[in-house]
Structure formats: structure tokens, C-alpha cells
């Protein structure tokens, strides 16, 4: 139980820190309370000090007045006496002390003979009623009293009452002359306990009033800030809903104040955004329909052209050389036109969101082997060695074989095209949740700016390079869409002079979420390049394709 309580209290700083960062309401009220508390504390300390000083000065004036009256009364009694012997002088001094007590209302009286006077047999001994407070009369005060016969001197001291409790006080010293006996120092002690009690009561009152005021300010701040923060919170929630696609949501408009003006401006902005988004959506739909319709409409004349072209192509040997070459070019461009139409139709399906997967358990090693076999003739013409590396653990994955085969055909074909006749390594590996295929070439590579655009439609790293497989510029865009529709990643790493590596990672089960790929990217054999450029150099920023 103690450990749980300790953990509970330890979690408080984190909770307060989180509230401070996340809640404008909490932050504003806290700042208001802290600043108000600091201001009240300063004012309270100032008032307490002022009241305490005023109480002390008032009590000091009263004490000096009472002491002066008591001293004069006692001196009058002494001056009117005709005492000549020790007993009479002693009785006279006792009567003077009694009058001092009555005039000053103080029982703390000390009568001390001024030193360095002629010795006298009738001079009474020093007397004091200070008791445990006898040491409060300091030497500095005595020297001041001894140096002046017609002035009063005072000193703040700490007295001890009958219970032994220390209380604040004042000792007032002056001189008086005793007939026959000489000059004596008179010290009267006054307690400031009543003033201290009054000051303590005032301080407690100020403390409770300050605390109540801080709480009141906190409550008022909470209510006021709530009126201001609540519309802001509503605006934030509304903007989040707008960002998530709920274009119909609006902020309620109430009143004519600045908050209502903000709501109207926000709603006007939302209406404008909704209108623009709707226009863009309509335009996009028109464009998608246009591409799809044009692609479909072009198929019929293209089929006719293809048939006519095939006839000419088959008979090209009987034509003059120039005509035969023209028939070959026509055949090649018609084939490329067919591929372009197919790619445009596929892109239009993705844009329209009408793609449906035909998933089945498939071994990706077999798909990789099919892609290698299909492109082996091209690789041999380029002098490229195709290598398949499958270390094991590759189980079946729920994928659409046609689309994955299309991805691999595109990646391996691009690697052959840009590999400069160097080997191309196709790696297949898996873990418990995913299967990955990496296509690694050692050609000229791509710069970081080229890597950022590698999946853009109709983009080519080197437009002047002659292609032998008739690319349309849509292959990698379609490959990325194919990977995304499977819930997978298609990522690329490349650096100039060190080749490139495309990695396809797919979940083993349809609908599963990927967390890590079984094949590292950058590839392990790129260590030297990474030592100079850093581990993420050349990778696409959006790694989740």
C-alpha cells in the first residue's frame, strides 16, 4: 500500500506537466492564481510590516511618556524628602519605587547606583525586580544613561514572563538623584505582548483573507477563462473534424461579440473550403472519367491498328528496307501504346478507388523466380547477372499474385536498365508477420532529389537514356499503389555511384499492420557509402509507401 501511494504521488508531476502543456484553461488559471498570490503576498507582507511598525511606535511613545511621568513623580518624592540616615533613605527609595510602579503600570524596575561616585554609608544597595530578565539591561544602555542626566534612553529587549516564556519588551533608562545617597540609574521594563498579540491577529486575518482572495480569484479566473477557452476548444475540435473529412461541421454562432465574429469567420472559411474541395473533387472525378473513357475508347481503334500493324510486321521481309524498318517501328510503338493504355486504365482505377484484390496464399520466392525467368533474355543482352538470394523462412503470404508479379517485373526490369551490366541481386526474406523482397543493383544510382521523385507519375531519372523494355513512366507509380493496396511498403535507397535498392514489404496476413521489415534498408553491402553519407541518405522521406 505504501509503495502504491508513493507511485501515486510520483505520478503527480508528470500529470501536472501534461496538463500544463495540453490545457490552455489550466495554464491560464494557474498563471492567474500564482501572479495574484504573489501580489497578495507582497501586499500582505508590506501591510504586516507597516502595522507592526505602527504598533511598535505607538507603544514606544506611550512607554516613553509613562516612564518620563514615573521618573518625574519619583524624583519629586525624593526632592521633597529630608531623610539623612540609611534607614530613612532606604524607606524613601522604597516609596519612590512604589510611585514608579503606580505611574508606569510596570513591575519591572531596576535601581542601580551610578559607578565612580564617592562612597556613602547611607546609599542603598542596587535593587531589581526584573527576575529572570535581569540581564536585559545591556552595558551600552547603561553607558548611555550614565552619560546624560536629563535624557531617556530605550532599548528593545526580550523579557521572560512568570511562566518562563520569552516575550518582546522595551527597557527605558534615565537618571534620578537620591538625597544624601547620590545619583542612581532607573530602568523600567515594559512588555509588548499585547502589541505582539494584536500583530499576530492582524497577520492571521491577512493570511486567511489573502488565501480566500486567491481562491476567489482562481474561481473567477476559471469561470472567465472558461467563457473564452470553450469557443476556442470548439473551434479546435471543429477544425479537426474538418481536417478528417467532415466538411458539414460548423461552429455555433451566438451573439455579436468577438467570439461570434470568430465563429462567423471560421464558418465562412469552412464554407469556402467545402466549395473549393467539392469543385476539386468534381474536377478530379471528371478527369478520372475522361482518362478512363478515353482509354476505353482508344482500345477499339488501337486493336484495328494493331491487327494492321501485325500484318505489315509479318510481311516486312518482302518490303523495301525503309518500308520494313517503318513496319518494325510501327509494331514497337503500337505495343508501347497498348502498355500505356493499360497503365492509364490501372491508374484511373486507383484514382477512382475501384481496385479490388484477388488475394490467395502465394510464395513470393516463386514470383521472384518467374520475374527473373521472364527478364533473363533482357539481362543477358545487357550482360547482367541475375541472382536470387532466399535465405529461408519465407512462407506464403495472402497477396494478389498478378499485382505482385507486376511490381517485381517493374523493379527487376528497372534494375537491369540502370545496372550498367553489373549483377542484380533479388533477395527474399520473412519474419513472423511480414515478407519482403529487395531488388539491388550496382549501377549509377540516383541523387537525393531524384529519389524524392522516383514514384512520381511520368517521371524519369534520365529522360535521355534509351529504354529497351518500353517504359511509360507509370510503372513505379502503379507499383507503389499495388504495394499500398496490400497494406505494404515500397521503399527505395540510392546514392550516386553506389546503385539503388528497392524494397517491397508485405504483411503475411491480409489486413495486418506492418511494424518492421525483415530485410534491412539501406542494404548491408552499402556500408562504405553510409560511412560517408549517413544511414538514411538517399531514402524516400515517406517510407510507408
Amino acid at each position: 500500500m505504501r509503495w502504491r501511494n508513493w507511485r501515486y504521488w510520483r505520478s503527480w508531476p508528470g500529470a501536472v506537466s501534461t496538463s500544463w502543456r495540453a490545457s490552455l484553461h489550466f495554464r491560464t488559471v494557474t498563471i492567474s492564481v500564482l501572479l495574484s498570490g504573489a501580489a497578495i503576498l507582497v501586499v500582505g507582507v508590506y501591510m504586516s510590516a507597516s502595522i507592526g511598525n505602527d504598533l511598535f511606535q505607538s507603544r514606544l511613545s506611550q512607554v516613553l511618556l509613562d516612564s518620563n511621568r514615573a521618573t518625574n513623580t519619583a524624583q519629586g518624592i525624593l526632592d521633597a524628602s529630608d531623610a539623612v540616615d540609611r534607614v530613612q533613605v532606604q524607606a524613601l527609595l522604597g516609596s519612590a519605587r512604589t510611585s514608579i510602579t503606580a505611574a508606569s503600570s510596570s513591575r519591572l524596575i531596576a535601581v542601580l547606583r551610578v559607578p565612580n561616585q564617592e562612597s556613602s554609608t547611607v546609599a542603598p544597595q542596587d535593587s531589581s525586580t526584573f527576575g529572570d530578565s535581569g540581564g536585559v539591561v545591556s552595558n551600552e544602555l547603561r553607558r548611555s544613561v550614565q552619560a546624560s542626566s536629563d535624557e531617556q534612553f530605550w532599548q528593545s529587549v526580550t523579557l521572560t514572563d512568570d511562566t518562563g516564556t520569552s516575550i518582546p519588551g522595551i527597557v527605558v533608562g534615565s537618571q534620578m538623584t537620591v538625597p544624601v545617597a547620590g545619583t542612581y540609574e532607573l530602568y523600567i521594563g515594559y512588555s509588548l505582548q499585547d502589541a505582539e498579540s494584536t500583530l499576530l491577529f492582524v497577520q492571521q486575518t491577512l493570511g486567511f483573507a489573502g488565501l480566500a482572495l486567491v481562491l476567489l480569484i482562481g474561481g473567477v479566473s476559471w469561470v472567465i477563462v472558461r467563457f473564452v477557452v470553450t469557443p476556442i476548444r470548439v473551434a479546435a475540435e471543429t477544425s479537426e473534424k474538418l481536417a478528417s473529412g467532415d466538411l458539414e461541421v460548423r461552429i455555433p454562432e451566438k451573439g455579436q461579440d468577438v467570439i461570434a465574429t470568430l465563429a462567423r469567420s471560421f464558418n465562412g472559411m469552412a464554407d469556402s473550403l467545402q466549395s473549393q474541395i467539392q469543385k476539386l473533387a468534381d474536377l478530379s472525378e471528371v478527369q478520372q472519367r475522361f482518362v478512363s473513357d478515353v482509354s476505353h475508347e482508344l482500345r477499339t481503334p488501337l486493336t484495328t491498328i494493331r491487327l494492321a500493324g501485325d500484318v505489315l510486321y509479318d510481311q516486312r521481309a518482302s518490303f523495301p528496307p525503309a518500308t520494313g524498318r517503318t513496319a518494325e517501328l510501327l509494331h514497337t510503338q503500337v505495343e508501347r501504346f497498348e502498355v500505356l493504355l493499360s497503365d492509364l486504365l490501372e491508374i484511373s482505377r486507383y484514382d477512382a478507388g475501384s481496385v479490388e484484390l484477388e488475394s490467395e496464399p502465394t510464395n513470393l520466392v516463386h514470383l521472384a523466380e518467374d520475374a527473373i525467368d521472364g527478364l533473363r533474355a533482357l539481362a543477358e543482352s545487357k550482360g547482367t547477372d541475375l541472382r536470387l538470394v532466399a535465405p529461408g523462412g519465407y512462407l506464403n503470404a495472402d497477396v494478389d499474385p498478378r499485382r505482385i508479379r507486376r511490381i517485381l517485373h517493374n523493379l527487376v526490369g528497372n534494375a537491369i536498365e540502370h545496372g550498367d551490366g553489373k549483377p542484380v541481386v533479388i533477395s527474399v526474406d520473412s519474419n513472423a508477420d511480414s515478407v519482403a523482397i529487395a531488388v539491388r543493383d550496382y549501377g549509377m544510382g540516383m541523387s537525393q532529389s531524384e529519389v524524392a521523385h522516383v514514384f512520381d507519375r511520368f517521371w524519369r531519372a534520365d529522360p535521355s537514356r534509351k529504354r529497351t523494355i518500353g517504359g511509360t513512366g507509370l510503372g513505379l507509380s502503379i507499383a507503389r499503389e499495388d504495394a499500398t493496396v496490400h497494406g505494404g511498403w515500397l521503399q527505395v535507397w540510392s546514392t550516386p555511384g553506389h546503385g539503388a535498392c528497392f524494397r517491397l514489404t508485405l504483411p503475411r496476413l491480409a489486413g495486418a499492420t506492418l511494424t518492421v521489415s525483415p530485410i534491412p534498408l539501406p542494404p548491408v553491402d552499402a556500408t562504405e557509402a553510409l560511412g560517408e553519407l549517413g544511414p538514411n541518405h538517399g531514402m524516400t522521406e515517406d517510407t510507408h509507401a
Side-chain angles (χ1 to χ4, degrees), residues 344-385:
L344 287 174
L345 281 172
E346 192 67 24
I347 285 291
S348 66
R349 292 191 190 98
Y350 275 115
D351 290 342
S354 59
V355 174
E356 294 183 2
L357 292 179
E358 298 177 0
S359 300
E360 60 183 57
T362 306
N363 192 313
L364 266 65
V365 176
H366 295 163
L367 296 183
E369 291 173 344
D370 293 343
I372 292 173
D373 292 340
L375 293 168
R376 192 174 300 278
L378 176 62
E380 291 175 352
S381 68
K382 293 284 189 177
T384 300
D385 181 20

Side-chain angles (χ1 to χ4, degrees), residues 192-483:
L192 298 181
Q193 190 172 15
D194 292 342
E196 183 184 41
S197 300
T198 302
L199 180 60
L200 181 61
F201 173 77
V202 171
Q203 290 175 339
Q204 291 176 345
T205 302
L206 289 175
F208 286 121
L211 180 60
L213 187 58
V214 168
L215 295 177
L216 180 61
I217 290 174
V220 172
S221 300
W222 180 271
V223 174
I224 294 176
V225 173
R226 184 179 180 84
F227 281 114
V228 177
V229 172
T230 298
I232 297 176
R233 184 184 296 113
V234 171
E237 294 173 352
T238 304
S239 63
E240 290 179 355
K241 293 179 181 179
L242 283 173
S244 64
D246 186 2
L247 302 179
E248 300 295 335
V249 66
R250 295 293 184 272
I251 299 178
E253 300 179 16
K254 299 178 181 179
Q256 299 294 327
D257 56 11
V258 66
I259 300 299
T261 302
L262 173 63
R264 285 191 294 272
S265 300
F266 186 93
N267 292 339
M269 179 190 68
D271 292 337
S272 178
L273 286 176
Q274 184 179 14
S275 176
Q276 294 297 326
I277 291 173
Q278 186 61 44
K279 289 180 180 178
L280 291 175
D282 295 341
L283 178 60
S284 176
E285 184 178 353
V286 169
Q287 290 175 337
Q288 294 169 12
R289 188 182 303 114
F290 174 78
V291 172
S292 178
D293 293 345
V294 168
S295 300
H296 280 290
E297 292 298 327
L298 285 176
R299 280 197 172 277
T300 300
L302 181 61
T303 302
T304 304
I305 295 173
R306 176 62 184 271
L307 292 175
D310 287 344
V311 172
L312 295 175
Y313 183 76
D314 292 339
Q315 298 179 5
R316 67 186 182 281
S318 61
F319 297 153
T323 306
R325 178 58 180 164
T326 302
E328 292 177 356
L329 291 175
L330 177 63
H331 179 76
T332 301
Q333 293 305 314
V334 168
E335 286 185 338
R336 186 169 183 272
F337 197 9
E338 282 188 323
V339 173
L340 177 60
L341 275 180
S342 298
D343 289 348
L344 287 174
L345 281 172
E346 192 67 24
I347 285 291
S348 66
R349 292 191 190 98
Y350 275 115
D351 290 342
S354 59
V355 174
E356 294 183 2
L357 292 179
E358 298 177 0
S359 300
E360 60 183 57
T362 306
N363 192 313
L364 266 65
V365 176
H366 295 163
L367 296 183
E369 291 173 344
D370 293 343
I372 292 173
D373 292 340
L375 293 168
R376 192 174 300 278
L378 176 62
E380 291 175 352
S381 68
K382 293 284 189 177
T384 300
D385 181 20
L386 298 179
R387 302 174 185 175
L388 176 62
V389 178
Y394 35 83
L395 302 176
N396 291 347
D398 291 332
V399 298
D400 186 335
R402 180 181 66 85
R403 298 182 185 277
I404 303 303
R405 189 178 288 109
R406 180 167 59 191
I407 295 175
L408 294 178
H409 186 275
N410 185 278
L411 296 181
V412 176
N414 285 341
I416 295 172
E417 286 282 351
H418 299 279
D420 295 338
K422 297 177 182 178
V424 173
V425 180
I426 299 94
S427 304
V428 184
D429 206 349
S430 62
N431 56 28
D433 302 316
S434 59
V435 181
I437 300 178
V439 179
R440 173 81 163 101
D441 70 75
Y442 299 89
M444 58 182 171
M446 293 180 288
S447 66
Q448 202 160 4
S449 60
E450 291 172 335
V451 168
H453 296 284
V454 73
F455 293 109
D456 293 351
R457 297 178 183 181
F458 298 107
W459 183 87
R460 289 182 179 177
D462 185 4
S464 64
R465 174 181 286 268
K466 180 181 178 181
R467 295 187 59 90
T468 56
I469 55 176
T472 63
L474 294 174
L476 286 177
S477 298
I478 295 175
R480 191 169 194 177
E481 296 289 353
D482 285 338

Side-chain angles (χ1 to χ4, degrees), residues 87-283:
V87 175
Q88 291 176 339
V89 172
Q90 188 72 34
L92 177 62
L93 194 58
S95 177
R97 281 198 299 267
T98 302
S99 65
I100 291 172
T101 300
S104 64
S105 301
S106 175
R107 294 180 300 170
L108 302 177
I109 299 173
V111 180
L112 309 177
R113 194 167 189 267
V114 176
N116 301 322
Q117 298 185 76
E118 293 182 3
S119 59
S120 174
T121 57
V122 299
Q125 297 293 323
D126 296 346
S127 62
S128 174
T129 60
F130 276 85
D132 293 338
S133 303
V136 298
V137 180
S138 65
N139 293 329
E140 290 80 6
L141 179 60
R142 292 200 62 183
R143 283 194 293 269
S144 298
V145 173
Q146 293 167 10
S148 178
S149 60
D150 55 356
E151 293 186 42
Q152 285 184 316
F153 299 91
W154 63 274
Q155 184 180 42
S156 295
V157 296
T158 300
L159 303 176
T160 303
D161 61 10
D162 297 336
T163 62
T165 304
S166 297
I167 58 176
I170 296 176
V171 173
V172 180
S174 60
Q175 286 189 13
M176 66 179 183
T177 302
V178 180
V180 185
T183 304
Y184 278 77
E185 305 167 26
L186 174 62
Y187 297 97
I188 306 175
Y190 295 89
S191 172
L192 298 181
Q193 190 172 15
D194 292 342
E196 183 184 41
S197 300
T198 302
L199 180 60
L200 181 61
F201 173 77
V202 171
Q203 290 175 339
Q204 291 176 345
T205 302
L206 289 175
F208 286 121
L211 180 60
L213 187 58
V214 168
L215 295 177
L216 180 61
I217 290 174
V220 172
S221 300
W222 180 271
V223 174
I224 294 176
V225 173
R226 184 179 180 84
F227 281 114
V228 177
V229 172
T230 298
I232 297 176
R233 184 184 296 113
V234 171
E237 294 173 352
T238 304
S239 63
E240 290 179 355
K241 293 179 181 179
L242 283 173
S244 64
D246 186 2
L247 302 179
E248 300 295 335
V249 66
R250 295 293 184 272
I251 299 178
E253 300 179 16
K254 299 178 181 179
Q256 299 294 327
D257 56 11
V258 66
I259 300 299
T261 302
L262 173 63
R264 285 191 294 272
S265 300
F266 186 93
N267 292 339
M269 179 190 68
D271 292 337
S272 178
L273 286 176
Q274 184 179 14
S275 176
Q276 294 297 326
I277 291 173
Q278 186 61 44
K279 289 180 180 178
L280 291 175
D282 295 341
L283 178 60

